[in-house]
Amino acid sequence: MGMRDKALAFSGKIKLDSHHAIERFGVLFGIFAVTGAIVIGTSGVSAYQAGRDSLSQTALYTSDFKTSKTNLDGTVDGVYSNKSGNKALVMMHFGPTDQISYNAADYRAFLLGSDTSLNSEPVSTGGIEGSFYAFGSTGYVGVLLNADRPFDRQVLNLTVRANAELTTPGTKQTQSSGKLAGDETFFKYDQWRVFFNPGASGVQEIEALNAPSFDPAQAYYEVVLKEKETEARAALDQKLVEMRTNLTQIHSYTTDLQTTKIDGLFLHPPTVPVSIATDRITGVSAAEAEDGASTLALQTTHVVPGGFDLNWRSGNVYDGYLDALVPAGQSYAQFFTKKRDESSDPTSRQISDMQWTLSDGTSLTEDYQSSDVTMRPLMNIMNNLSQAYLNYSTNKSQYESDLSLDLLRLDVSLRDVQSNSSIRNDKEFLITLQ
């Protein structure tokens, strides 16, 4: 019997030949049904596992929000925890021009549990107490949750209500979408909603939550200012690298004055403005240091008008810089006002007015034309050296004024939080569904 005949005979035995169409359909359907069940079951397990992985790792599900009546846009900076995992801080902020209440007493909150499909459910972690912080007039607010044990890995649905509306409600009020669209309180009150998972592995730990008592200024520094401080310090350090390069150029071009001659004529070094004449950059850059820590520093006897003699490398914003800068008996507000009113730096004009005298007593700028080909080598040296001085003067001014002020503004912001933060921590602040 050939292979084809054997195949037909086998098909007949299991009723898959052309004479058993109904039986054939039933068998095939059964095979597909079993296969489909296996595939669906496998997909379900994969989806379930993916959901568990997301729940265990994802800390924040809401990155921004809009208040329901006043239509103010807000940003969720993150969810932060302590080492024990039983404290969670949800940090949020509004824009600098948004009119919100800076009084924590004007806010309350509601806490629900939620599944990954946004269906509400009881909060599984017990013993949660909440408090609300307004971080001065910075526009930052936060909700601090304290539990009697580490938070479960559960998505929490936090609704914050602002009882004081300082902005005229918009003509079109916002409302939560999907499964939360039926919540009429978003029309009646000015509210916003944040979804987060304080028990997830992705929650960032901050030292402010490990302290015995919560310090809003420390939390604000760690969450908001520390990264900005790093950027400001990096900009100051980079400017020192540029200033050191300018001084190297000045030294090189000054040396060229002695070696470049035309028919025995050479340029005398110009009189350098006192404000930069003795400046030096000491130390090494991060790229040059064995440990990667820059030690560059400006050594100068003259601070530009409106600038600051700031020893920024040895301090930080949290410890504060202003106490060492502000004279006794003067407020830091008065100090900044005085700096703002100081006259502009004359150094750039003095560099432009430098005298470029040749060895025979004549002036390169007054007695010769810039187009004079015979004097071009000396003209080039003059231009190079003059530009190097000008570049250094500009960079020094930026270093001592604009870039230093950027760092000091962070100090001022922290002082605002230290002096003007408010808290609401009574039992009526947080309503929890458990």
Side-chain angles (χ1 to χ4, degrees):
M1 181 183 293
M3 184 63 70
R4 183 174 181 276
D5 294 332
K6 290 181 180 179
L8 289 173
F10 179 74
S11 297
K13 287 182 180 180
I14 61 172
K15 298 183 179 181
L16 293 180
D17 60 355
S18 60
H19 299 293
H20 298 86
I22 295 176
E23 290 86 344
R24 184 175 71 244
F25 174 78
V27 172
L28 292 175
F29 180 81
I31 293 172
F32 289 135
V34 172
T35 304
I38 294 173
V39 172
I40 294 173
T42 304
S43 300
V45 171
S46 298
Y48 175 73
Q49 186 60 42
R52 286 175 59 87
D53 290 343
S54 175
L55 192 62
S56 67
Q57 298 172 7
T58 305
L60 186 64
Y61 293 81
T62 307
S63 58
D64 50 44
F65 58 85
K66 183 183 288 289
T67 57
S68 60
K69 290 185 66 178
T70 54
N71 291 334
L72 297 179
D73 292 315
T75 299
V76 184
D77 298 271
V79 183
Y80 306 91
S81 182
N82 62 339
K83 190 173 298 183
S84 300
N86 65 330
K87 293 182 182 180
L89 173 67
V90 182
M91 197 76 162
M92 301 160 278
H93 75 271
F94 294 88
T97 61
D98 288 338
Q99 294 180 323
I100 66 169
S101 173
Y102 300 140
N103 187 355
D106 291 331
Y107 298 87
R108 67 181 309 191
F110 307 86
L111 189 66
L112 301 172
S114 175
D115 61 20
T116 54
S117 298
L118 304 186
N119 294 304
S120 295
E121 60 185 24
V123 177
S124 61
T125 305
I128 297 178
E129 297 179 351
S131 52
F132 187 89
Y133 289 86
F135 294 83
S137 59
T138 63
Y140 280 82
V141 296
V143 173
L144 177 62
L145 302 177
N146 288 272
D148 56 11
R149 61 181 174 83
F151 284 97
D152 293 336
R153 288 179 174 174
Q154 180 190 30
V155 178
L156 298 183
N157 168 358
L158 176 70
T159 297
V160 182
R161 177 180 298 174
N163 292 319
E165 299 175 16
L166 306 186
T167 300
T168 303
T171 55
K172 182 180 179 181
Q173 297 178 13
T174 61
Q175 187 183 32
S176 299
S177 61
K179 298 180 182 294
L180 304 171
D183 192 341
E184 296 181 356
T185 62
F186 280 79
F187 286 106
K188 186 177 181 180
Y189 303 100
D190 197 27
Q191 302 181 157
W192 70 90
R193 181 168 277 158
V194 177
F195 290 91
F196 63 101
N197 179 5
S201 59
V203 174
Q204 180 181 343
E205 180 187 333
I206 58 174
E207 286 303 316
L209 295 179
N210 289 323
S213 59
F214 181 73
D215 178 10
Q218 183 181 2
Y220 181 71
Y221 172 72
E222 289 188 72
V223 173
V224 180
L225 297 184
K226 201 167 187 178
E227 182 177 352
K228 294 180 180 179
E229 179 184 21
T230 299
E231 294 173 356
R233 291 168 69 93
L236 285 163
D237 204 47
Q238 178 58 34
K239 188 58 64 175
L240 286 173
V241 172
E242 296 175 19
M243 291 164 64
R244 187 178 65 170
T245 299
N246 297 148
L247 291 179
T248 300
Q249 293 169 341
I250 289 171
H251 176 75
S252 177
Y253 296 142
T254 300
T255 301
D256 289 345
L257 293 178
Q258 304 169 5
T259 58
T260 303
K261 299 180 180 180
I262 297 176
D263 287 339
L265 290 176
F266 58 91
L267 272 171
H268 288 298
T271 301
V272 182
V274 174
S275 58
I276 62 175
T278 60
D279 283 7
R280 295 183 301 121
I281 303 295
T282 60
V284 295
S285 67
E288 298 162 341
E290 292 183 1
D291 59 357
S294 174
T295 59
L296 293 177
L298 169 64
Q299 306 295 327
T300 183
T301 58
H302 178 85
V303 178
V304 300
F308 306 91
D309 184 15
L310 178 62
N311 184 14
W312 57 270
R313 201 180 291 282
S314 63
N316 60 67
V317 169
Y318 186 65
D319 292 333
Y321 292 109
L322 289 173
D323 289 341
L325 289 177
V326 179
Q330 190 177 92
S331 69
Y332 69 82
Q334 294 172 327
F335 173 72
F336 281 116
T337 299
K338 184 178 179 181
K339 284 293 182 180
R340 183 194 62 198
D341 294 339
E342 288 181 2
S343 59
S344 59
D345 187 9
T347 306
S348 296
R349 179 179 53 79
Q350 293 171 356
I351 292 173
S352 299
D353 293 340
M354 279 180 172
Q355 298 299 309
W356 298 92
T357 305
L358 292 166
S359 55
D360 63 356
T362 59
S363 171
L364 181 61
T365 56
E366 296 175 6
D367 298 326
Y368 295 90
Q369 298 292 326
S370 59
S371 58
D372 192 333
V373 176
T374 60
M375 304 301 289
R376 183 168 296 170
L378 296 180
M379 289 284 185
N380 287 340
I381 294 175
M382 177 188 69
N383 291 335
N384 289 339
L385 183 54
S386 178
Q387 188 62 52
Y389 274 121
L390 188 60
N391 289 343
Y392 176 79
S393 173
T394 300
N395 283 331
K396 179 183 178 180
S397 179
Q398 292 175 349
Y399 175 81
E400 291 187 326
S401 56
D402 298 341
L403 296 181
S404 293
L405 185 58
D406 286 343
L407 195 59
L408 293 177
R409 284 195 182 104
L410 302 182
D411 194 338
V412 172
S413 180
L414 186 66
R415 287 172 180 250
D416 175 19
V417 174
Q418 290 171 329
S419 301
N420 303 313
S421 289
S422 60
I423 176 178
R424 180 178 181 184
N425 58 359
D426 58 273
K427 293 183 179 180
E428 301 300 320
F429 164 67
L430 182 69
I431 304 299
T432 303
L433 175 62
Q434 288 182 313

